[in-house]
Amino acid sequence: MKSNELVIENISKHFGGVAAVNNVTLRVEPGQFTSLLGPSGCGKTTTLNCIAGLEMPTDGVIRIGDFVLNDVRRGVMLPPEQRELGMVFQSYALWPHMTVYDNLNFGLGLRKIKGEAAKKRITETLELVGLGGFEKRYPFQLSGGQQQRVALARAVCAEPRLLLLDEPLSNLDAKVREHARLWLREVQKRVGITTVYVTHDQAEALAMSDMIAVMSNGSLLQYASPTDVYERPINRFVADFIGATAFLEGTITAVNGDQAKVLLKGGQTITAQTNTRWRDEKEVAIAIRSERVQVVTDSSKTDNVIAARITSSTYLGSKWQHIVETDAGSLKVESLDAANDSILKLYLPPSAIILIPNS
């Protein structure tokens, strides 16, 4: 399996006067699984289509190692069939009149892989995705999850330079989708192919990716590991889009090493750990994940404890989620048990607080 570094340099794509992709630059290392993550209309699928050759960028360079796919200023634009890429679409796009075997063989034929070599590769690939023995079935004889596996098998069978996945799990029900995440990632690791995956599902991106590229309005906001994107979001949009996050407003009053004192709008001072150099009197948003807020049931904690009033509670099966109001703003709080009182004391761990500049 060929697996080279994908390099995207200053890619832009305009539709009329609208910038669907705006000066995006990123590198995907060989064998890495990178997710393009963001809401609808953020530019993630357009970026993927530029890599695939389905869209012509307005500017920029796309290459795999030294193999140039696009170089707008030099007039280089390889057609999709010459890029040696594998792609799985949201709709799977299987040929309905062809058997599973023929669906895979069709792509191999375009690469001039025929006879026993093609048969061996098809058999091995179907075994890899858990569909050994399904060669003679037609797509209509398969479940949605099985069709998705055939689409993936077809994409990797020809040993492409790069695997592109455009929300391939979105048509599956929740239970099957969760299982599909695991086997898709396992297959990708076993094959060792460099992969770019488009999704709007934060949990999916966090669970599957080596790196996540968070996009909004055509721009790349943060490109980092799942841990860094979740624990150290670069701005308020990333913090709000990834996970359940609450925001309070405050002002930094003092900084001592990695400890910042923050005066909340309600008049209470809390401490936050930070690795950023802050100046005093800087207005900030205090972001904290809902699962990191702790309900205090005794008097063992006093620092960073704030009072809150429950305004609504929702039972989610494995936990309760409470919406609470404080003097500094509202929070979402998760607990294993239903709250017996409408008034809570909440502990905000300093290490769990993310300080974000108010721009």
Side-chain angles (χ1 to χ4, degrees):
M1 180 70 67
K2 294 167 282 192
S3 188
N4 297 304
E5 179 185 46
L6 170 66
V7 179
I8 299 174
E9 297 176 340
N10 306 117
I11 281 292
S12 294
K13 174 62 181 179
H14 293 82
F15 294 100
V18 178
V21 179
N22 184 25
N23 200 33
V24 168
T25 294
L26 60 85
R27 290 173 179 261
V28 182
E29 296 180 2
Q32 193 174 78
F33 191 111
T34 288
S35 289
L36 304 182
L37 174 67
S40 298
C42 72
K44 56 188 184 296
T45 294
T46 302
T47 301
L48 194 79
N49 287 340
C50 287
I51 299 170
L54 303 177
E55 294 285 357
M56 173 65 176
T58 308
D59 197 8
V61 176
I62 303 174
R63 59 183 172 85
I64 303 172
D66 296 327
F67 183 55
V68 179
L69 307 180
N70 289 92
D71 189 332
V72 175
R73 299 189 183 186
R74 289 172 50 208
V76 177
M77 172 66 177
L78 285 185
E81 65 272 15
Q82 293 181 15
R83 299 189 175 213
E84 299 182 26
L85 307 179
M87 189 161 184
V88 179
F89 297 91
Q90 185 175 355
S91 62
Y92 313 144
L94 299 176
W95 297 106
H97 63 289
M98 292 184 180
T99 63
V100 169
Y101 184 95
D102 290 337
N103 263 279
L104 272 63
N105 195 41
F106 181 82
L108 293 179
L110 296 177
R111 301 281 180 89
K112 297 183 172 23
I113 303 170
K114 300 179 180 180
E116 286 301 315
K119 183 178 180 180
K120 180 175 183 292
R121 193 175 291 186
I122 291 170
T123 299
E124 290 176 348
T125 306
L126 289 176
E127 289 289 343
L128 179 67
V129 300
L131 290 179
F134 282 65
E135 289 87 348
K136 295 183 180 180
R137 296 196 189 185
Y138 287 88
F140 70 87
Q141 296 174 312
L142 305 174
S143 68
Q146 290 168 336
Q147 290 182 36
Q148 198 262 351
R149 292 184 182 217
V150 174
L152 179 63
R154 184 179 60 183
V156 303
C157 193
E159 298 186 349
R161 297 174 182 267
L162 185 72
L163 179 61
L164 306 177
L165 302 165
D166 188 6
E167 303 204 51
L169 307 183
S170 61
N171 290 331
L172 304 178
D173 64 60
K175 200 72 174 178
V176 175
R177 184 171 182 162
E178 188 174 339
H179 178 68
R181 289 178 193 168
L182 299 176
W183 74 257
L184 176 57
R185 185 65 166 117
E186 180 183 351
V187 169
Q188 187 269 337
K189 285 181 178 179
R190 288 175 62 184
V191 175
I193 187 171
T194 309
T195 300
V196 179
Y197 186 92
V198 164
T199 183
H200 63 271
D201 187 316
Q202 303 95 322
E204 199 166 271
L206 290 169
M208 299 176 68
S209 309
D210 296 310
M211 297 287 285
I212 297 176
V214 183
M215 299 184 68
S216 176
N217 295 323
S219 296
L220 177 62
L221 301 184
Q222 186 169 4
Y223 185 47
S225 69
T227 301
D228 281 348
V229 168
Y230 192 83
E231 299 289 348
R232 290 171 283 280
I234 199 168
N235 58 27
R236 185 162 183 156
F237 176 88
V238 177
D240 193 28
F241 188 76
I242 306 291
T245 310
F247 295 91
L248 304 176
E249 304 297 327
T251 303
I252 294 177
T253 58
V255 180
N256 184 12
D258 64 351
Q259 302 285 314
K261 296 292 184 181
V262 184
L263 178 65
L264 300 179
K265 275 199 170 179
Q268 185 172 351
T269 295
I270 63 171
T271 300
Q273 289 183 5
T274 178
N275 56 7
T276 303
R277 293 184 178 180
W278 297 96
R279 59 177 175 80
D280 294 357
E281 305 305 321
K282 174 69 176 178
E283 291 187 356
V284 292
I286 299 104
I288 186 164
R289 304 295 185 189
S290 299
E291 73 274 10
R292 302 294 297 275
V293 179
Q294 300 174 20
V295 178
V296 178
T297 57
D298 54 38
S299 58
S300 61
K301 290 186 175 73
T302 55
D303 295 337
N304 276 39
V305 174
I306 61 175
R309 179 177 59 84
I310 295 177
T311 58
S312 67
S313 297
T314 305
Y315 179 59
L316 302 178
S318 61
K319 60 190 175 184
W320 283 84
Q321 185 179 82
H322 310 289
I323 305 299
V324 303
E325 287 293 334
T326 75
D327 290 342
S330 62
L331 291 171
K332 286 183 180 178
V333 181
E334 296 178 358
S335 65
L336 296 178
D337 303 310
N340 295 322
D341 300 314
S342 60
I343 302 299
L344 300 177
K345 289 186 177 180
L346 306 177
Y347 173 62
L348 311 182
S351 61
I353 295 172
I354 305 163
L355 299 180
I356 299 173
N358 270 342
S359 54

